[in-house]
Amino acid sequence: MRVLLINDTSNYHNGCKQVVRTIHKWLKPHTVVHSLPVAVPYIMFDTWDDVDVVVCNGEGTMHNNRQGATSLLNFLRKAQQQNKPTLLINSIWQNMDSHWHSVTNNLVYWSVRDELSQMHAEGVHSRKPELCADYSWFEEVQSEPADKHDITLGQSFDRKQTLINHPQRIDIFSQSWSACVNQLRNSELLVSGRFHEVMSSIRAGTPFLAIEGNSWKMEALISSAKSDLPVLKQFPNDIRNANIFKIYKSEYQKIFNWHKQQTLPNIHTIL
């Protein structure tokens, strides 16, 4: 089948690029023939005869009826009106209005990244989406040599955090996915407000201290694994104070184990 992928985030940062790479592999033997980023207020597309199915990569977009979420859901509605099967995958789902059930009820497949999103969807839309970890998780990363270090400092959600003097840094916007994972394999702790930097830490099996952003994605990631790990509202004034969070060893292990139990859905049973 010929697939139209919407919300192609691969040009945003390298965690998103890893997600889209996994989606392409997951969809085989089906082929992505069109791949579109989100656009507001509307995604422009009118060559429906070129596609057989529409797949939406929800990622962190689907919350609080933001413009990007509205644009994607309106596009899915349009695809459904064209009698195209629609899938919404790899998504947060937070504080979305009940009227979107007219779209979600007609999805042939729907999955979310966390249990909070799953519960919200079921409570508001009377449909329980499948649960599947973020798609960046699912590909093994080959180990490469890297320097050993203690705390690695990542980016804040808005990229405006002011802890500029810490010597060990990570940046999902400028470093490849494999470089992030391998750097964190040789670190004892990550402190970050970026979801996919945290995901690279989980892929590396390295503890992390998450800083909240503009949605519940960090809290939901942790609570899905039944972990009691705290999420901070802001970066510590002294990054060395983050070392105290190493005491949560068992809570980190819950998160690592939850991800190891996750599997991608079988595309052959969906399409």
Side-chain angles (χ1 to χ4, degrees):
M1 298 181 76
R2 299 165 300 169
V3 178
L4 166 58
L5 175 64
I6 60 171
N7 204 23
D8 180 343
T9 55
S10 55
N11 288 328
Y12 184 46
H13 62 56
N14 289 304
C16 293
K17 183 178 290 185
Q18 177 64 26
V19 165
V20 174
R21 182 161 52 237
T22 299
I23 290 172
H24 278 253
K25 291 181 178 180
W26 170 67
L27 283 168
K28 290 181 179 180
H30 310 294
T31 304
V32 176
V33 294
H34 295 285
S35 195
L36 304 175
V38 66
V40 295
Y42 304 108
I43 300 171
M44 304 302 295
F45 184 81
D46 58 8
T47 54
W48 292 104
D49 289 342
D50 293 348
V51 300
D52 303 307
V53 60
V54 176
V55 176
C56 177
N57 169 35
E59 280 202 55
T61 307
M62 300 297 199
H63 64 93
N64 298 300
N65 299 290
R66 291 163 61 90
Q67 280 189 309
T70 298
S71 175
L72 292 170
L73 289 165
N74 280 330
F75 191 90
L76 288 173
R77 177 185 285 120
K78 187 175 181 181
Q80 291 167 355
Q81 291 168 348
Q82 295 289 327
N83 296 316
K84 304 296 181 181
T86 54
L87 291 70
L88 174 55
I89 62 171
N90 194 51
S91 186
I92 190 174
W93 192 264
Q94 178 183 358
N95 298 333
M96 298 297 292
D97 285 347
S98 60
H99 70 80
W100 292 118
H101 70 82
S102 61
V103 177
T104 60
N105 283 355
N106 291 306
L107 295 167
V108 300
Y109 180 78
W110 185 12
S111 71
V112 291
R113 304 186 303 193
D114 64 83
E115 287 189 351
L116 290 182
S117 295
Q118 189 182 48
M119 289 187 290
H120 173 61
E122 185 177 24
V124 175
H125 307 285
S126 300
R127 177 177 177 180
K128 186 177 183 179
E130 299 297 318
L131 181 63
C132 182
D134 184 78
Y135 276 38
S136 64
W137 157 258
F138 290 99
E139 187 172 319
E140 294 284 349
V141 176
Q142 184 175 353
S143 295
E144 298 174 0
D147 293 335
K148 297 282 187 181
H149 42 266
D150 187 13
I151 299 174
T152 295
L153 177 63
Q155 305 298 307
S156 62
F157 172 77
D158 59 8
R159 305 190 74 193
K160 295 179 181 178
Q161 54 90 359
T162 57
L163 294 169
I164 60 175
N165 295 321
H166 189 70
Q168 299 295 339
R169 306 297 293 266
I170 199 170
D171 188 347
I172 197 75
F173 289 86
S174 62
Q175 293 174 259
S176 70
W177 177 253
S178 61
C180 289
V181 172
N182 277 299
Q183 181 176 338
L184 290 169
R185 278 176 173 153
N186 291 279
S187 180
E188 293 188 15
L189 182 74
L190 168 71
V191 182
S192 179
R194 300 296 317 188
F195 179 82
H196 279 105
E197 288 179 347
V198 168
M199 285 302 303
S200 68
S201 195
I202 294 171
R203 180 74 266 180
T206 296
F208 60 88
L209 175 55
I211 313 300
E212 69 178 26
N214 68 342
S215 72
W216 65 31
K217 65 182 70 173
M218 295 296 198
E219 294 87 346
L221 170 69
I222 291 167
S223 67
S224 294
K226 305 298 187 290
S227 171
D228 291 325
L229 189 69
V231 175
L232 297 190
K233 291 188 176 297
Q234 59 188 18
F235 281 78
N237 291 329
D238 185 342
I239 198 67
R240 292 170 297 181
N241 291 337
N243 272 315
I244 192 173
F245 289 91
K246 294 178 184 178
I247 66 173
Y248 288 95
K249 184 175 181 180
S250 63
E251 301 306 315
Y252 289 117
Q253 198 59 51
K254 291 176 185 177
I255 297 168
F256 300 151
N257 290 342
W258 184 82
H259 279 81
K260 290 175 182 178
Q261 294 166 3
Q262 296 293 299
T263 58
L264 288 168
N266 186 344
I267 190 63
H268 299 286
T269 65
I270 300 171
L271 295 176

